[in-house]
Amino acid sequence: MKKMLLGILFCCAGVCLGSEGISILEEIPVQEGGRVKPMLSFANEVTLYITGKHQFQGKPPMVTILEWLANPEASAQQPIIPVAYLELQAELGDHVIDGRIAPEWVLGDRAFAQTVEAAAAKQRKRGELTTFEEKLLEVHERAIVFATVAQGLTPGVLAKPDHPQESWMPLHFLASREGARALSQYYPAAEAQQATAAFQGVLGAVRDGSVDAAQAELFVTSLREMAEASDVALDYTVIDTEVFYLRLRPFHQAWLLYLASFLFSLPMVLRRQGRAATPWRKGFGWLATILFLLGFGIQAYGIYLRTIIAGRPPVSNMYESIIWVSWVVALFSTVYYFVWKSLYVRNVAALVAAFILILADKFPVVFSPAISPLVPVLRSNLWLTVHVLTITMSYGAFALAWGLGHALVFDYAVRPNKSERTRELQGFLHMTLLVGVVLLAAGTILGGVWANYSWGRFWGWDPKETWALIALLGYLAVLHGRYAGWLGDFGIAVGSILAFLGVVVAWYGVNYVMAAGLHSYGFGGGGGSYVVLVAALDLMLVGALATRYRMLTKTVP
Amino acid sequence: MFSTMLNRLYRLLISVKLAVALIIVIMAVLATGTMIESLQGAAAAKIIVYNSLWFSVLILFLALNVLSVALSRLPWKKRHLGFVMTHLGILMLLGGALISRYYMIEGQMAISKGETEAFITLPEPLVQVQSPDKGKIWAFRLPQKAFTWEGSEVFDEGRGPFSLELLNFYPKAEVVEKYKPTPGGSAAILVKVHGGVIDHEGWLVQGDPHKGALEMGPARVLLAKDLITASPEDSIAEDNVLAFEIGDKTVEVPVTAEMALPATFALENTEYTVTLLAVFRHGVVAEGKLIDQAVNTGSEAWVNPAVKLRLEGPGIVEEHTAFAKFPDFPTIHGQEPKPSGVKVGFIVPGVDAAQASDREIRFVVGDGGNVNVQMQREGKLITQEVTPGETLATDWKGVSLEVVEYIPSAQKELVFIPLSNISELEGAASVIRLNIGRGDEKTAVWLRLGTPETVNLGGEPYLVAYTMKRIPLGFKLKLENFLKTDYPGTRNPAAFASDVILTDAMHGVTQEAHISMNEPLDYRGFKIYQSGYLQGSNEPDVSIFAVSRDPGIWLTYLGSIVMVLGILVMIIASKQVRS
């Protein structure tokens, strides 16, 4: 069933490159980064890390990795490592080709090595690094990772029979005589030789241009036989699940489906007020509903798969929270749709969910999709899961409110008079805000409960918790502004857009820009200027629409 | 007049508009607070905003507003249920926070494996002065400063016979050691080693156990007392000798590998007795212990000869280890000189320090105050005089050596350079400068957090320390074991935990407990959390616990529940849901 679904998806999407050999190799279990995962997962992560791209030169990551392994010296001379920082680009001069530099130069140049060592010495002493030094070290680190991958020093492919928890032996052991000798300590010589020959066969085939299924199968089988001969028990089902998850790309499919759903529902939504829908409009409407539910379903399935693979709820880093929040947006609108038949809310939700998912999909360097092990404090805790899920659900509610706010501001700016549509959206906006407030309040308090349980204090003015409180206060200000008579319907709509800025800071800003406090396990970097730009553009748009609305309401009493 | 004002105040307090204004002001204040934390650290943010009096007043004002609004709707009707619950909940929450703010105990406790601890350290800085006879300790509360501060502030007056004045406060400072020419000091050489990936500069100081050598992997540069003297190579006889340097006397005792051990003998003309515990032909350190590799190999060659012995004298029992090849081993490895001051040398003819010389470069100050260097040049041991500024080539691949500065008689002086509050620079410490007065006499002194200094007041030495307040818990914890597991194939911790024994003599309680991340130990209102650890290669594991007692937490929890239920009631009762 899984295979069939995949087959259809791939051939439709044109991802089918006809290279069955590669896909067999992708399924090899490897140990890297503190867990066992399929080679595909490693290839994706390491290609993204080294080259900054999902696919380098348009090739599947597995192919890229194999080419590096097959021709380590030649590939090291290729411009692979991205040098985006202009100051560094200027420093490196002609060595940078198309914004990239060759790992061989990075690791081989003596003067460069000294600059790197000076920066590294400063980093070891934990002195403050300049941006230039940070970027310098990043380029160097990427070159080192390239070298370890190309020389087959990572990932581990063969467990030590008695100690599978220790570092596994990497591919390098199948490529050298010393490696073979080391292997023979743990594995029967015949099997080790067979695996070595099979691996050399694969590399030879890569050099010749294509790996056929039989060669790949031979290598994979010999690895598996070695593991079995030495009683290394591996859970292949989890590996298979992860391969399936990676190939399915459920979150990518989900945003495509949401966007399609939005487009197909336009004929239904844009028909003139009070007019009955023609059968073709209705047909498109049904199609839109089905597409939306498919997107919702495939996203839910993706979250489920990720939970199975990681062995924990997927809410431990930025990427996972983005996936979850966009799903919650879809969830709320689905509930509204089925309980109150709210078509408008669903379309707004489709756009918001697609927008958030595209962010996650298109900025993998900023929001890393890798599944990584948790730091100790985050492990095995009911309160943590409840706290994070509640908080992120509130973000989902507020993201929906943000979308509804936009829809309303647009609507009012076009036609200040109330319509059936604005009345409906206004009601749902208010309810969504209330739901968001209760979830955020409860989530923040649950965070305190967890903090008290795990760190020994309920509240410590940590930036993350403080910003959650600021975001909450922002929405309270909007709601109370209405009770005080300061804000009307239009004001609430604008308010729900402005107040979302608090959520953006609490969610993204604290982790990626401030990078302070105890929530350091979710920290990352990058994208700050884009977020500020998008927020500024959004505010300008809302400002322009608000001005128009004011003019219209003044002239039409 | 007065009543109209009161009336106005009342109208203001019950208005929702005031609530909105207050909410926006608090938002701005909190946002500023997080900004300060991001730029200047959590401590600064707490001093400037969160723990300040005006912030408490602002929150109290909000509480008053919430209370007034809730009371203004009296008599409450059924439709007010959600509204009243929510606002009552907020008041309870704020009340709980107030109790926690003033009565919560939050400290830290670090215990080495096998040790027992009865105190916790609180984040409250103190200055402690100890009397010369150690009989009395005075503690002074240090004023808190958010940033690097200079000025003059007399603090905590009337406690003991001293006056204290804060002159400098550096939340974080880099500690730089400088050597200045001072009569009666030690010889000090600033050397620079560079080439390849090595780039190292440091002081070598005669007689300083921590500044004897620059270690660079297997190689080292050191300032030694004596030159290596190569002995004639043909005298490979079994006449090994233990040489004891006691003051200006040297006593020599013959040693063979065949001696019945332990062998005890008195050192002639001294008060000391020696018990020879072990003799190693090929001493190697395995798993932190010295063992004899020759026992395994069956070889009789003296590869790395060493002895282990016990020295007993009046009021002294100490263990010494001496290596024939590495006479300076204890000094170089940063071990403090033994209290007796006795230096033990192990002399094995044919196996002497010269054999180690391909891995070391040795500076020696000559009798005339000139500096000599002894090193291998093209495979031969040479000795030559060096002058500051001179660069020497070495036999080590591409590495050159420069004597930057030489001070025949120098004394260490610490210089403190203030850093940003959030600097994580290695070795950075919080530093203060005080004027300590007794009577008319005043002395200025720099103090590093946790490093006591001796200050002479009225001709008597007082020990002064800048520390954190420590309070007794009322019970003791002993760390039995520390456990850490890593993620497979990495050194990233997956989990860590401690096995402790709690003893409360007052209540006759002894209990074993397992404390792990997220699984604290609860005892008499205190909660003890696993918060961190320190692991060194040669030191016992240290487990770090956070200890807290929060008497306001129940009210906070109660308020939270009431508030959330209140919002839920409001949602359910709202028009949108009902329609």
Side-chain angles (χ1 to χ4, degrees):
Chain A
M1 172 60 206
K2 277 182 180 175
K3 287 249 156 98
M4 227 176 71
L5 183 59
L6 264 185
I8 296 167
L9 266 167
F10 276 93
C11 293
C12 294
V15 191
C16 226
L17 295 172
S19 176
E20 213 183 312
I22 296 295
S23 64
I24 291 170
L25 294 173
E26 286 173 346
E27 291 164 21
I28 297 173
V30 303
Q31 184 210 45
E32 198 265 342
R35 69 185 188 99
V36 178
K37 54 186 156 191
M39 186 68 106
L40 175 59
S41 197
F42 169 77
N44 283 349
E45 287 161 19
V46 88
T47 310
L48 180 61
Y49 179 70
I50 295 172
T51 68
K53 293 202 142 191
H54 271 313
Q55 295 205 327
F56 184 56
Q57 296 170 334
K59 290 174 193 161
M62 189 67 220
V63 174
T64 307
I65 302 285
L66 281 172
E67 285 178 354
W68 291 347
L69 276 165
N71 310 297
E73 285 91 13
S75 354
Q77 291 165 8
Q78 302 297 317
I80 288 175
I81 318 267
V83 187
Y85 190 58
L86 290 177
E87 226 176 288
L88 186 59
Q89 247 185 26
E91 175 87 10
L92 299 176
D94 292 345
H95 301 290
V96 181
I97 301 159
D98 297 333
R100 290 173 188 273
I101 194 160
E104 192 191 59
W105 188 87
V106 174
L107 298 177
D109 191 80
R110 282 199 71 171
F112 187 75
Q114 275 178 0
T115 343
V116 168
E117 176 52 31
K122 202 165 155 191
Q123 190 182 41
R124 276 197 297 275
K125 282 190 160 181
R126 282 182 271 152
E128 254 174 83
L129 296 179
T130 63
T131 316
F132 181 82
E133 286 169 328
E134 272 171 23
K135 300 288 171 184
L136 185 80
L137 287 175
E138 195 179 278
V139 165
H140 186 252
E141 181 60 31
R142 284 179 166 167
I144 298 231
V145 173
F146 166 82
T148 46
V149 173
Q151 288 162 20
L153 299 171
T154 188
V157 289
L158 282 164
K160 290 177 188 156
D162 298 330
H163 305 281
Q165 285 276 307
E166 283 180 14
S167 289
W168 289 16
M169 289 171 281
L171 286 168
H172 171 71
F173 282 71
L174 298 171
S176 65
R177 206 168 291 159
E178 309 88 67
R181 214 172 297 138
L183 268 189
S184 63
Q185 286 185 7
Y186 299 98
Y187 290 101
E191 260 114 11
Q193 268 165 23
Q194 193 194 345
T196 306
F199 179 56
Q200 294 307 325
V202 169
L203 290 187
V206 173
R207 286 183 204 112
D208 295 341
S210 82
V211 183
D212 65 44
Q215 274 170 317
E217 196 67 58
L218 184 67
F219 178 49
V220 172
T221 323
S222 61
L223 282 180
R224 198 177 275 220
E225 273 171 8
M226 280 172 82
E228 277 161 13
S230 304
D231 285 337
V232 175
L234 273 179
D235 187 356
Y236 286 99
T237 54
V238 178
I239 304 287
D240 290 345
T241 307
E242 187 165 348
V243 170
F244 174 73
Y245 162 82
L246 291 170
R247 289 185 182 154
L248 179 62
R249 299 175 69 201
F251 308 123
H252 178 81
Q253 320 297 354
W255 70 254
L256 286 176
L257 289 164
Y258 288 143
L259 275 189
S261 160
F262 174 75
L263 292 176
F264 280 110
S265 73
L266 284 181
M268 194 70 180
V269 177
L270 294 182
R271 70 178 199 275
R272 216 171 284 162
Q273 293 266 323
R275 242 183 154 187
T278 53
W280 69 271
R281 281 186 202 262
K282 268 192 180 163
F284 274 125
W286 276 109
L287 185 59
T289 306
I290 290 166
L291 287 172
F292 185 87
L293 289 177
L294 268 179
F296 181 64
I298 202 165
Q299 194 177 358
Y301 188 46
I303 291 174
Y304 164 77
L305 285 176
R306 216 180 148 100
T307 310
I308 297 292
I309 297 160
R312 56 174 165 78
V315 281
S316 76
N317 63 24
M318 204 63 193
Y319 178 82
E320 291 175 346
S321 73
I322 288 176
I323 299 303
W324 171 254
V325 165
S326 64
W327 187 73
V328 170
V329 170
L331 174 72
F332 278 123
S333 76
T334 310
V335 172
Y336 293 173
Y337 178 74
F338 280 109
V339 180
W340 292 284
K341 293 274 170 264
S342 159
L343 196 61
Y344 302 124
V345 177
R346 196 194 73 202
N347 279 312
V348 171
L351 275 186
V352 173
F355 174 68
I356 302 176
L357 281 175
I358 290 172
L359 280 183
D361 209 28
K362 295 295 168 197
F363 296 96
V365 178
V366 181
F367 308 121
S368 165
I371 299 175
S372 24
L374 294 179
V375 295
V377 73
L378 296 188
R379 277 168 55 109
S380 69
N381 196 307
L382 178 71
W383 283 123
L384 169 71
T385 313
V386 174
H387 149 59
V388 180
L389 288 182
T390 317
I391 282 271
T392 40
M393 278 184 85
S394 81
Y395 292 175
F398 290 133
L400 181 59
W402 173 80
L404 292 172
H406 276 88
L408 279 166
V409 171
F410 269 113
D411 229 326
Y412 286 131
V414 175
R415 240 189 343 223
N417 298 335
K418 287 208 170 177
S419 64
E420 186 199 331
R421 179 161 70 222
T422 51
R423 251 193 297 275
E424 181 185 323
L425 288 176
Q426 199 77 51
F428 282 111
L429 173 61
H430 190 246
M431 186 160 78
T432 309
L433 285 177
L434 284 178
V435 170
V437 163
V438 74
L439 284 172
L440 185 53
T444 308
I445 288 165
L446 285 167
V449 173
W450 177 55
N452 187 43
Y453 183 68
S454 170
W455 292 323
R457 91 280 179 294
F458 179 82
W459 194 263
W461 297 113
D462 174 71
K464 192 88 177 166
E465 61 196 29
T466 309
W467 267 100
L469 178 62
I470 295 171
L472 180 62
L473 289 174
Y475 285 101
L476 290 181
V478 172
L479 291 175
H480 285 83
R482 200 179 93 136
Y483 305 138
W486 279 346
L487 296 177
D489 282 346
F490 185 80
I492 294 272
V494 172
S496 58
I497 296 172
L498 295 184
F500 191 64
L501 287 176
V503 172
V504 171
V505 178
W507 186 15
Y508 166 87
V510 172
N511 289 33
Y512 277 64
V513 181
M514 288 191 181
L518 292 163
H519 286 71
S520 58
Y521 26 80
F523 285 3
S529 44
Y530 291 105
V531 173
V532 172
L533 186 72
V534 170
L537 286 176
D538 190 24
L539 290 187
M540 277 160 64
L541 177 71
V542 171
L545 292 171
T547 318
R548 190 184 143 80
Y549 172 74
R550 285 213 149 182
M551 278 161 57
L552 288 176
T553 42
K554 264 186 195 161
T555 48
V556 186
Chain B
M1 178 66 199
F2 182 70
S3 68
T4 43
M5 258 176 70
L6 211 62
N7 196 19
R8 265 194 199 162
L9 183 69
Y10 175 71
R11 289 202 167 277
L12 179 72
L13 278 177
I14 62 165
S15 79
V16 184
K17 284 177 178 159
L18 175 71
V20 176
L22 272 176
I23 287 173
I24 291 172
V25 168
I26 290 173
M27 278 170 72
V29 167
L30 294 182
T32 314
T34 60
M35 226 87 88
I36 293 171
E37 167 150 8
S38 176
L39 299 173
Q40 296 290 339
K46 281 198 176 131
I47 294 171
I48 297 172
V49 182
Y50 306 128
N51 287 354
S52 69
L53 187 65
W54 62 266
F55 187 69
S56 294
V57 170
L58 187 64
I59 299 293
L60 274 179
F61 197 42
L62 178 73
L64 193 62
N65 177 227
V66 170
L67 182 69
S68 311
V69 172
L71 291 180
S72 72
R73 302 292 193 274
L74 276 173
W76 294 327
K77 304 203 178 66
K78 204 178 149 198
R79 66 186 164 90
H80 285 128
L81 180 65
F83 159 81
V84 170
M85 277 175 77
T86 307
H87 291 79
L88 198 65
I90 293 174
L91 286 176
M92 287 158 83
L93 224 164
L94 291 176
L98 200 70
I99 298 175
S100 299
R101 162 82 178 79
Y102 289 100
Y103 297 100
M104 182 171 177
I105 295 173
E106 213 180 349
Q108 266 210 342
M109 190 182 215
I111 317 177
S112 296
K113 192 170 160 182
E115 300 290 314
T116 304
E117 182 60 83
F119 286 81
I120 56 170
T121 308
L122 303 181
E124 292 173 34
L126 291 180
V127 172
Q128 282 186 352
V129 182
Q130 194 178 48
S131 65
D133 59 2
K134 301 196 172 144
K136 196 158 167 40
I137 294 177
W138 296 272
F140 302 84
R141 223 171 308 137
L142 193 70
Q144 299 210 8
K145 305 283 173 207
F147 305 111
T148 295
W149 181 89
E150 258 173 76
S152 163
E153 185 174 330
V154 175
F155 62 92
D156 226 1
E157 284 176 280
R159 216 179 270 253
F162 310 99
S163 68
L164 276 91
E165 183 185 2
L166 184 66
L167 300 174
N168 294 67
F169 178 85
Y170 298 165
K172 279 271 172 68
E174 188 182 354
V175 186
V176 182
E177 289 180 352
K178 285 202 170 159
Y179 285 85
K180 275 174 100 178
T182 317
S186 320
I189 306 175
L190 180 62
V191 292
K192 195 173 172 181
V193 189
H194 62 110
V197 290
I198 298 176
D199 189 10
H200 218 83
E201 190 179 283
W203 283 98
L204 297 174
V205 184
Q206 191 110 58
D208 185 332
H210 301 293
K211 294 271 167 204
L214 290 181
E215 299 275 351
M216 287 155 290
R220 62 174 186 243
V221 175
L222 74 161
L223 178 58
K225 219 167 159 187
D226 307 300
L227 292 169
I228 298 167
T229 45
S231 52
E233 281 178 31
D234 52 353
S235 65
I236 304 179
E238 284 284 292
D239 51 356
N240 304 341
V241 167
L242 265 179
F244 295 86
E245 256 181 61
I246 304 160
D248 49 4
K249 255 190 291 189
T250 303
V251 181
E252 296 195 348
V253 181
V255 172
T256 63
E258 287 73 34
M259 281 170 84
L261 298 176
T264 305
F265 43 86
L267 294 182
E268 276 173 45
N269 302 326
T270 70
E271 299 165 303
Y272 294 102
T273 315
V274 170
T275 308
L276 195 55
L277 299 169
V279 179
F280 307 88
R281 284 172 186 273
H282 184 183
V284 288
V285 177
E287 289 167 9
K289 277 171 85 175
L290 187 65
I291 59 158
D292 196 353
Q293 191 75 26
V295 175
N296 299 331
T297 57
S299 155
E300 293 215 342
W302 291 90
V303 182
N304 184 22
V307 288
K308 211 162 129 183
L309 55 86
R310 189 167 61 229
L311 186 74
E312 284 169 80
I316 279 173
V317 179
E318 47 191 43
E319 277 202 5
H320 289 255
T321 307
F323 293 85
K325 278 188 179 175
F326 308 102
D328 297 307
F329 187 86
T331 318
I332 288 155
H333 287 78
Q335 294 172 11
E336 299 283 351
K338 299 278 169 152
S340 66
V342 174
K343 221 182 137 189
V344 185
F346 186 36
I347 301 159
V348 178
V351 182
D352 64 28
Q355 289 190 357
S357 65
D358 58 336
R359 284 189 279 123
E360 71 174 43
I361 290 174
R362 175 178 287 239
F363 288 99
V364 175
V365 176
D367 295 334
N370 55 324
V371 183
N372 294 314
V373 66
Q374 191 178 37
M375 63 201 285
Q376 298 265 347
R377 168 89 35 90
E378 283 151 19
K380 267 199 205 139
L381 192 64
I382 58 149
T383 307
Q384 68 174 73
E385 195 179 330
V386 280
T387 49
E390 195 176 346
T391 302
L392 307 161
T394 70
D395 263 13
W396 303 336
K397 211 176 161 189
V399 174
S400 63
L401 185 70
E402 188 191 339
V403 176
V404 182
E405 201 182 339
Y406 165 54
I407 307 172
S409 172
Q411 212 136 50
K412 185 163 77 178
E413 192 189 82
L414 295 180
V415 177
F416 304 100
I417 302 164
L419 296 169
S420 134
N421 280 8
I422 49 168
S423 169
E424 290 182 340
L425 190 76
E426 211 172 60
S430 178
V431 178
I432 58 170
R433 190 161 72 104
L434 292 178
N435 240 342
I436 303 179
R438 172 149 209 197
D440 296 336
E441 192 185 8
K442 268 191 180 177
T443 314
V445 58
W446 282 100
L447 291 172
R448 264 179 295 173
L449 184 63
T451 312
E453 302 282 346
T454 307
V455 178
N456 273 304
L457 291 172
E460 288 190 280
Y462 287 83
L463 204 60
V464 185
Y466 164 30
T467 63
M468 290 292 173
K469 188 175 179 181
R470 279 161 57 85
I471 57 163
L473 266 180
F475 54 90
K476 290 178 187 172
L477 279 189
K478 181 179 182 198
L479 182 65
E480 283 287 296
N481 204 2
F482 177 75
L483 316 137
K484 174 178 158 256
T485 49
D486 292 340
Y487 280 111
T490 69
R491 305 201 61 187
N492 302 330
F496 46 96
S498 302
D499 284 325
V500 296
I501 296 178
L502 183 152
T503 347
D504 184 351
M506 279 290 283
H507 298 88
V509 176
T510 302
Q511 70 176 72
E512 286 182 20
H514 181 78
I515 304 175
S516 64
M517 218 78 199
N518 301 328
E519 295 296 335
L521 165 65
D522 218 325
Y523 185 74
R524 298 189 74 83
F526 281 100
K527 281 191 165 189
I528 299 145
Y529 303 83
Q530 181 75 59
S531 84
Y533 62 88
L534 295 172
Q535 270 183 326
S537 49
N538 283 324
E539 281 138 49
D541 294 344
V542 177
S543 188
I544 300 170
F545 301 98
V547 182
S548 73
R549 190 172 65 183
D550 186 354
I553 193 73
W554 63 274
L555 191 56
T556 309
Y557 279 176
L558 191 65
S560 306
I561 295 167
V562 172
M563 180 185 80
V564 172
L565 287 180
I567 308 178
L568 280 177
V569 170
M570 283 202 285
I571 292 180
I572 293 164
S574 78
K575 277 180 248 156
Q576 274 80 18
V577 178
R578 278 190 294 174
S579 64

